[in-house]
Structure formats: C-alpha cells, structure tokens
Amino acid sequence: MTFESLGLHPQIIKALTDAGYTEPTPVQAQAVPAAIAGRDLLVSSQTGSGKTAAFMLPSLHKFASAAAEGSAGKTPNQQAQAARARGERPRFAPAQPKMLVLTPTRELALQVTTATDKYSTQMRRVKAVSILGGMPYPKQMQLLARNPEILVATPGRLIDHMESGKIDFSQLEILVLDEADRMLDMGFIEDIELIVSRTPETRQTMLFSATLDGMVGNIARRITKDPQLIQISGSSTRHENIQQRVHFVDDLLHKNRLLDHLLRDVAIDQAVVFTATKRDADTIADRLNIAGFAAAALHGDMHQGARNRTLNAMRNGQVRVLVATDVAARGIDVPGITHVFNFDLPKFAEDYVHRIGRTGRAGRKGIAVSLVNHAEGVHVKRIERFTKQSIPVDVIEGYEPRKSAAPRARPGWKPGDGRKQGSGGKPGQRTFAKPGAPRKDGGGYRGNREGGRSDGRRG
Ligand code: ADP
Ligand code: MG
C-alpha cells in the first residue's frame, strides 16, 4: 500500500516523502480514501497509530484540488479592500476557516498544527493556526487576521472568539473532533454542541476517539451523516508493542526508592513519570533533579510558555525525565520516550491507556511500569478489564514489598510466593487475571466515572 494509491495530491505525497513516511498506517489506509470521497467518519484507533494524518491528509488534498481549480472565495482581506474601495471604513473581518479541528488540550492542538505544517510544506496557500487558552490575546488576533484555512482549537477559547464575532464558520467545509472521548471527559460537551450548531449542515465531519461507546457514540451519531465506521484492531487499547508491569510498594518511601532505582536503568532513553497531582509533579521533579536526573515537571498550572519550553527541552533531549499530570501530558509525542512510570495510578482506565501510549510511538517498543500500593490492586484489575490484558507483577531484589500483595481469590497464586520471584528484573509470572480469561464485565468501568479530576478541566 502506498500514499499514491490512496489518491492523494502530488504536493502531499512529496511532503510525506520528505517527512520520511513510506507507507500509510492502517487507519490512514482506511480513512483517507473514505474522507476524500466525502464521507463522514467515526474512527477508533489506538494512540500513536497516525490519526492526525488520517484526517489531515484528505483535508489538505481537498484544499490542494480546490486551489488547482481556482475556486478560492473572497478572503476577508479582499472584502476589507473592497470596502475601502467603496470609501467605507472596513469593519474587522472575521476569520472564515474552511476546516476546524477541535482538540481537548493545548499540547494536542499545537501538535496537530505542527503536523499540518509538515504535511502542507508544498502547499503555499494553506495556513493552519492554533487558537488556545493561555496564548496572549493580541497574538491570537494576529493569527486570526491571517484568515487561516485551518483552525485548530480547544473548545473554550474558540467560543470566546466566536461570541465576539472574530470567527465566522459559514464557509466551514470540514469539522474534526480529535480525541472526542477525552473532550467529553473534560466536560466540553456543551461547548462542542454550541460550536457544531454554528457550522453549516453541509460540512464533512470526522470524529476520532479511543472508544465509540457511550456518550461519544451518542454525540457521534448526532453530528455525523451516514458515517463510515473505522475501528482498527478491535480494541483501541491494546498497545501490543508496550511491555507493561506492576510493582507493589509498601509506602511512599518504598515508592521513591524504587522509582530512583528504576530510573537508573540504562535502557531508558527518556521517561515520563505520571503523578496524580500538580504538586506531586513539582515535588518529584525537584527531588529527581537533586538526585542527579535531568528532570522537569509539566502540568496545567504552568504558563503556556513554560510548558512549551519544557516540551521542547524534552524533544531535544535536555530533559530526560518528564514528571507530568494526565491532562498536561495528553498527546505528547516524543519518539525518545522509552519508559512510562505511573508513580500514581490514574483515576480512569482510559487515562492509563493514554499514559502508556506516550511510549512506543510510531511502532517503537516501550515499557510501562506502575508503582502500586497494596490497597490499589482493585484499580489494576479495572485497568486489566478495560484493556483486556493482564499486567504481570514484577519484584526486584532489594526492593521487595514487605507485605505480600494479597488480592483476594487469585487463581494459581499462594500467599507469600511472590516475594522472591522475578528478582532479575524480568517480569514475574504472577498476574491479577488469567491471560485470556473471559471477562463479561469489560465495559462496566466507564459507567462510574463521575467525580472530580485532580487536574484542570480546560485545555
Ligand atoms: P495518534 O493521533 O493516532 O496518536 P499521531 O497522528 O500523533 O498518532 O502519529 C503518531 C506518530 O506517528 C507521529 O510521530 C507521526 O509523525 C508518525 N506517523 C504517522 N503516520 C505515519 C506514517 N504513515 N509513517 C511513519 N510515521 C507516521
Ligand atoms: Mg492524535
């Protein structure tokens, strides 16, 4: 399968070749032709599977083809010029994007914009800009004044601009909801509905999500027309290329010691350590720095500038260990991340999937290690149910838990036999669930997900 065979415009093929892409990923192979044919799409596919290009390539193709036919409309700047020519004072002309991509977080929006720039290097006329919370207002106005074809935005800030008349969606042709499940989790449902209601009925709509069950499926059906359903590899959550394991810890001291030990593994290129709270992210980053690791924190309380600097430092390798909260780390795509550590388990099983998806990017291998208090065994079980995979428990010599982990009624496991097992650092054989055991309650976890998050709700 080649990109040519998907029917993409030569300008796009050239950009992809320059970017080193040799063939489409499975989700791209399915989504691109369907989107070029004008279909609405509902897509679930795991993180790192290339979803950005799956919606951006066919959209760019559409713009490239339209430009070739010379069907570009009057830009607001031309409208303003026309007004001047008539001797009228031009009003502020709202931006009239042709494509809108909604994402849950600022980081993700910036990533989509960067990827778009990469895919459109050969198309001089296409501009993509991000409109984000935390960005200085004059800067946003400047970006909108360029009347970009493609707008990438988090819902909250976008609505501010819509309400003040800076954006007009009457010319919108394509609407993309990226990580829709996550946007709903973050409470953006009403914002999304409002935004969608301001876009033309004639638009093409593409929705991407880890899952299409529940609320997401609901909204998906309402905003799409006769959508093509694309579900890659059955479960979107398997992460076959990521080796997962659990270490039990007795207390915080034990957890800290074990983390320091694990971080000294020479196999680590770069790592992300996930914490439950912003404060923990700061504290642990400070502690690791003192211990000699090149560590930095990333969380929602930091200014956008500081977040970008930290991410850039991670990208160029100055930072080796990023200590992050869920929302801040959403969508981070740094190929050097070989390891993910859950210093705290996430509240929701989906977050676990997104966390470990920070490693093993673009087909590489990755390792995901969770440090788990004995009382949290039940959370591990939930994650296993959600991912339909069992996670081996590992014990490292010198870092054995004093208490033996004692989840109830585990088949094939006797109390006490975990202590000396797997001491060479290889994952032990013990698991919470029998591999391949049938799980009739696989979807049950999503039901009880109300409750506050420890991180900011808005991107
Ligand atoms: P997702 O949104 O599914 O998590 P991304 O769109 O962020 O995935 O892509 C993940 C990584 O894979 C990015 O670094 C991207 O540049 C790379 N990638 C995407 N498509 C291809 C391809 N066809 N060939 C090689 N690399 C690709
Ligand atoms: Mg993505």
Side-chain angles (χ1 to χ4, degrees), residues 306-369:
R307 285 161 76 161
N308 290 344
R309 274 195 298 282
T310 302
L311 275 174
N312 283 336
M314 186 77 183
R315 267 186 210 110
N316 63 33
Q318 285 163 280
V319 166
R320 222 180 123 240
V321 183
L322 190 69
V323 190
T325 55
D326 285 299
V327 169
R330 180 81 177 176
I332 288 179
D333 182 17
V334 179
I337 298 172
T338 50
H339 289 61
V340 165
F341 296 96
N342 289 314
F343 189 81
D344 299 300
L345 278 181
K347 270 206 192 100
F348 302 116
E350 289 99 319
D351 288 334
Y352 176 86
V353 174
H354 284 293
R355 284 181 178 192
I356 73 170
R358 295 315 100 213
T359 180
R361 303 295 286 172
R364 291 180 177 79
K365 290 200 187 319
I367 293 184
V369 181

Side-chain angles (χ1 to χ4, degrees), residues 52-287:
T52 316
F55 61 76
M56 209 35 100
L57 301 183
S59 306
L60 291 173
H61 172 86
K62 194 167 177 180
F63 299 140
S65 309
E69 287 160 23
S71 67
K74 235 182 206 177
T75 69
N77 280 339
Q78 288 169 329
Q79 289 170 15
Q81 270 169 19
R84 264 191 224 99
R86 289 193 303 269
E88 297 163 15
R89 194 160 161 269
R91 287 184 309 120
F92 175 87
Q96 295 181 315
K98 295 206 173 75
M99 176 178 189
L100 170 65
V101 182
L102 290 176
T103 72
T105 68
R106 305 180 253 202
E107 275 74 21
L108 205 58
L110 288 173
Q111 249 180 55
V112 170
T113 314
T114 308
T116 307
D117 291 344
K118 184 159 75 179
Y119 304 146
S120 66
T121 43
Q122 305 296 317
M123 304 170 56
R124 273 184 300 128
R125 292 163 42 95
V126 172
K127 294 182 291 286
V129 308
S130 314
I131 292 299
L132 310 165
M135 186 186 272
Y137 194 73
K139 172 84 182 159
Q140 297 181 36
M141 295 314 299
Q142 213 178 41
L143 291 174
L144 286 177
R146 284 200 247 152
N147 194 31
E149 282 77 11
I150 303 171
L151 207 59
V152 186
T154 50
R157 180 52 54 106
L158 183 67
I159 286 182
D160 295 345
H161 287 296
M162 282 162 52
E163 300 298 1
S164 59
K166 306 287 191 304
I167 302 174
D168 158 19
F169 284 128
S170 64
Q171 305 301 310
L172 195 83
E173 295 169 18
I174 304 171
L175 171 67
V176 175
L177 273 64
D178 196 13
E179 307 217 6
D181 54 330
R182 184 61 173 212
M183 286 198 278
L184 298 189
D185 281 354
M186 291 169 77
F188 283 138
I189 177 108
E190 284 167 15
D191 292 354
I192 291 172
E193 301 214 338
L194 175 68
I195 293 166
V196 172
S197 75
R198 301 282 174 86
T199 63
E201 283 284 307
T202 51
R203 67 172 191 268
Q204 179 179 27
T205 308
M206 300 185 246
L207 181 144
F208 292 76
S209 179
T211 164
L212 296 172
D213 313 329
M215 252 229 285
V216 185
N218 215 327
I219 186 164
R221 274 189 299 279
R222 268 186 287 137
I223 67 173
T224 55
K225 288 199 193 81
D226 180 29
Q228 175 152 338
L229 195 65
I230 298 177
Q231 284 173 301
I232 302 294
S233 76
S235 167
S236 58
T237 52
R238 290 190 70 84
H239 287 312
E240 309 277 0
N241 55 334
I242 300 172
Q243 196 193 83
Q244 304 169 55
R245 54 185 200 245
V246 158
H247 287 274
F248 277 98
V249 296
D250 296 316
D251 49 32
L252 190 60
L253 185 69
H254 186 193
K255 212 186 228 188
N256 281 325
R257 278 184 59 225
L258 186 56
L259 178 67
D260 287 22
H261 173 80
L262 292 168
L263 282 174
R264 288 184 205 286
D265 183 343
V266 290
I268 297 181
D269 185 357
Q270 287 178 295
V272 183
V273 176
F274 281 97
T275 64
T277 68
K278 300 167 196 176
R279 237 181 92 189
D280 283 351
D282 280 329
T283 316
I284 293 170
D286 286 348
R287 197 178 58 68

